[in-house]
Amino acid sequence: MGIPNYPIHLEDPQLQGFYDGLAAGELRLTADPDTGEWVWYPPEVVPGKPDTTLEWRAVSPEGSAYTFTTVTRSLLPGDHREEVPFTVVLFESDDAPGCRVPGVLVDADGVEPRCGMRLRFRPVPVGDHVIAGFQPA
Amino acid sequence: MKGNRIAITGVGETPFLRKGAEPLMQMMVRASLAAIADAGLKPSDIDGYIGNRMTPGSDDLGPAIGMKDRAFSAVCDVAGGTASAGQALILAQLAIEAGLATHVLVPYGIQSTKPGGVYGFHAKEPLKAALEMPVGFFGQPTYFASMANRYAHDHGMSEEELASVAITYRKWAVITPSAQRREPMGLEEYRQTQMISTPLRVADCCLTTDAACAYVVSAVERAKDMPHPVVQLAGVGIGTNNFPHGVLFTQNPCTYEYPGEASAKKAYAMAGVDPKDLDLAQVYDGFSISALVQTEMLGLCERGEGAKFYHAGHAAPGGRMPVNTSGGHMSGGYVPGINLLIEGVRQLRGQEGERQVPDARICGVAGLGGNSHSTAILTRN
């Protein structure tokens, strides 16, 4: 299995918080500081609360796959033929059910991906950056 | 809004091509003129225009087709099939019933081969660029593939059942002279098409098409004096959800739960008919998975039974509920939503030759675009 290699574009600077978390070995999601509720993905404006700045909070690295797909023809701009196949999962931490984090399935040789499979978060270095990875738990 | 007040009196399109030589504007003018002529009208008879945020507006296209009085013009705010197969009809009825326009033109064109490709707009979405593209979660086939795997987990779906959606539409395309892909396709040929993102193969995806389509809307009373049998709008409904584009494919609690049940409920209520009353349907088939789910939402089968419905042959030629009778977007041609609506009109006129559904009187048309969905119920007067 391969690993996708595509640069991270942070047009919305608040999304840096996600990658600060990866650098620290943590999976961090955004929450509304007033209510404590998860607001994920972080929208440019919190619905109905334009003055609210979301907080990044670490969540449990343990969770499960809502769904997955194994990409055999990458549709990313540019030539990525060397990087396929890879499997993308939408991961839900046990601390934040319903908040899905896309990441790459790693260390899963011989494992058939499936919805509901138990996973553990693991940052994955790719070139000069780090992406979210998940390995079978 | 009441049903049976407006009719689709003219339809037209350019050839469906994998790669066309003409710019979008030229194709849209051709399709518009064809629709106006089909309605037995002159361009100067058109006094209403409903465009789309993705295509040229009436400032440019109106003069190019020879409109004289652009008394009413509007732009559909929603995307894809919802716009051309639902929202445009609502706007047309509002304009006609208010006396603002007599004959309303609705054109829509697409140039899939434009620079930047069909997925270029996804790359501009900041959340996708930051969180999804670096892990390779990118492009419609990948998004919809992840839905298909979840659907299979929730309801069960074999490869053969999934394949039967594409195979069904291809059967219709084989007997449709204007269809883009007419070579027969069985399970073996399906399996030979390239896998893009499991479980979706090339054959599970809509085509890339360069083409334009257009239709003319007039009052039912006026349509009775026009060239074709009257095909009227008996019901129409729009459904929406609150997941914007950046989160639509990941954070919707059920990612394949399009707002299709809400739109169908409104359309059936307005038309005063049930799903069992339909003679045929056109279902927005961006992908096999989204088509089979909308087939369920339109009420043609139970929820969770869509793939089995296709596998049983019900939607194929000779089946009890023909679906996408010109090959749909996956084998016929992809001009989002509008070519399916036009096929519905033509079937109800009753002159479709080999693929004609016998005694077709009521057709449901489902349109999906972004986080909105439309259902239209067309009937032959």
Side-chain angles (χ1 to χ4, degrees), chain A residues 49-79:
Chain A
K49 300 175 73 174
D51 296 326
T52 297
T53 301
L54 297 172
E55 265 178 15
W56 289 93
R57 294 180 185 169
V59 293
S60 166
E62 309 283 343
S64 59
Y66 168 73
T67 190
F68 69 94
T69 180
T70 299
V71 176
T72 51
R73 179 176 150 194
S74 174
L75 301 167
L76 291 165
D79 185 350

Side-chain angles (χ1 to χ4, degrees), chain B:
Chain B
M1 185 171 278
K2 295 199 172 4
N4 303 317
R5 299 289 175 86
I6 59 166
I8 298 173
T9 50
V11 295
E13 65 276 281
T14 63
F16 300 138
L17 304 172
R18 170 67 183 82
K19 184 171 175 52
E22 295 190 347
L24 184 62
M25 186 72 173
Q26 200 169 356
M27 294 190 293
M28 289 184 68
V29 170
R30 285 189 197 284
S32 298
L33 293 176
I36 294 165
D38 183 61
L41 299 173
K42 302 184 298 295
S44 57
D45 295 324
I46 303 295
D47 55 1
Y49 181 100
I50 297 171
N52 190 272
R53 60 182 180 175
M54 317 288 279
T55 54
S58 69
D59 279 356
D60 296 314
L61 203 129
I65 63 170
M67 283 177 74
K68 298 294 183 208
D69 177 19
R70 284 181 283 138
F72 176 82
S73 59
V75 173
C76 289
D77 176 50
V78 295
T82 315
S84 58
Q87 196 188 41
L89 292 166
I90 292 172
L91 291 170
Q93 179 158 345
L94 287 171
I96 289 168
E97 290 204 305
L100 298 173
T102 304
H103 300 292
V104 178
L105 177 72
V106 182
Y108 198 149
I110 188 165
Q111 210 163 19
S112 301
T113 52
K114 70 183 175 197
V118 288
Y119 308 122
F121 71 102
H122 290 298
K124 293 179 183 156
E125 163 56 55
L127 290 163
K128 293 182 181 183
L131 300 173
E132 298 180 359
M133 294 176 76
V135 299
F137 191 64
F138 183 73
Q140 240 97 342
T142 300
Y143 307 145
F144 281 82
S146 71
M147 295 175 200
N149 282 324
R150 184 68 201 192
Y151 179 95
H153 172 80
D154 292 344
H155 301 292
M157 178 170 66
S158 69
E159 182 202 16
E160 287 86 348
E161 287 169 343
L162 178 65
S164 67
V165 178
I167 291 169
T168 297
Y169 299 159
R170 182 61 60 86
K171 284 179 180 170
W172 286 109
V174 167
I175 54 174
T176 301
S178 62
Q180 212 174 317
R181 297 296 299 272
R182 300 190 65 202
E183 65 279 15
M185 180 175 72
L187 186 59
E188 194 177 320
E189 291 82 9
Y190 168 87
R191 284 178 171 148
Q192 284 169 4
T193 68
Q194 187 185 13
M195 184 69 81
I196 299 180
S197 265
T198 58
L200 299 188
R201 297 178 176 277
V202 167
D204 290 296
C205 306
C206 64
L207 300 169
T208 47
T209 300
D210 286 351
C213 297
Y215 60 86
V216 175
V217 182
S218 318
V220 164
E221 284 309 308
R222 223 173 263 278
K224 291 173 182 169
D225 299 323
M226 294 170 77
H228 297 285
V230 178
V231 174
Q232 57 200 36
L233 181 70
V236 63
I238 303 287
T240 58
N241 71 34
N242 276 335
F243 294 91
H245 198 239
V247 299
L248 180 61
F249 301 114
T250 55
Q251 308 302 324
N252 190 349
C254 175
T255 50
Y256 59 82
E257 191 62 32
Y258 321 115
E261 285 191 341
S263 76
K265 188 177 174 188
K266 290 177 192 171
Y268 283 126
M270 180 171 160
V273 300
D274 292 324
K276 63 177 173 7
D277 295 322
L278 300 186
D279 297 308
L280 74 160
Q282 312 294 328
V283 174
Y284 191 93
D285 54 332
F287 297 90
S288 50
I289 178 62
S290 50
L292 71 89
V293 172
Q294 289 173 85
T295 300
E296 299 168 6
M297 291 173 163
L298 197 54
L300 306 186
C301 59
E302 295 296 317
R303 295 302 309 269
E305 297 291 320
K308 294 171 180 64
F309 174 83
Y310 281 91
H311 192 240
H314 297 315
R320 66 173 159 87
M321 181 55 69
V323 178
N324 289 358
T325 50
S326 58
H329 289 329
M330 286 163 56
S331 280
Y334 180 58
V335 190
I338 192 167
N339 62 315
L340 303 182
L341 183 83
I342 287 175
E343 169 64 7
V345 172
R346 287 214 170 99
Q347 282 281 351
L348 295 177
R349 287 178 176 177
Q351 296 171 334
E352 289 306 281
E354 192 179 352
R355 75 175 190 279
Q356 178 64 48
V357 175
D359 301 321
R361 310 290 296 190
I362 308 181
C363 177
V365 184
L368 174 64
N371 59 10
S372 65
H373 190 275
S374 70
T375 300
I377 308 295
L378 305 178
T379 60
R380 177 170 171 172
N381 189 315

Side-chain angles (χ1 to χ4, degrees), chain A residues 71-91:
Chain A
V71 176
T72 51
R73 179 176 150 194
S74 174
L75 301 167
L76 291 165
D79 185 350
H80 298 275
R81 282 174 289 187
E82 299 294 314
E83 298 156 20
V84 294
F86 55 84
T87 297
V88 183
V89 297
L90 297 183
F91 171 85

Side-chain angles (χ1 to χ4, degrees), chain A residues 12 14-15 30 38-47 52 54, chain B residues 127 244 247:
Chain A
D12 179 354
Q14 75 168 330
L15 294 166
T30 38
W38 299 112
V39 182
W40 182 253
Y41 299 158
E44 201 175 347
V45 176
V46 178
T52 297
L54 297 172
Chain B
L127 290 163
V247 299

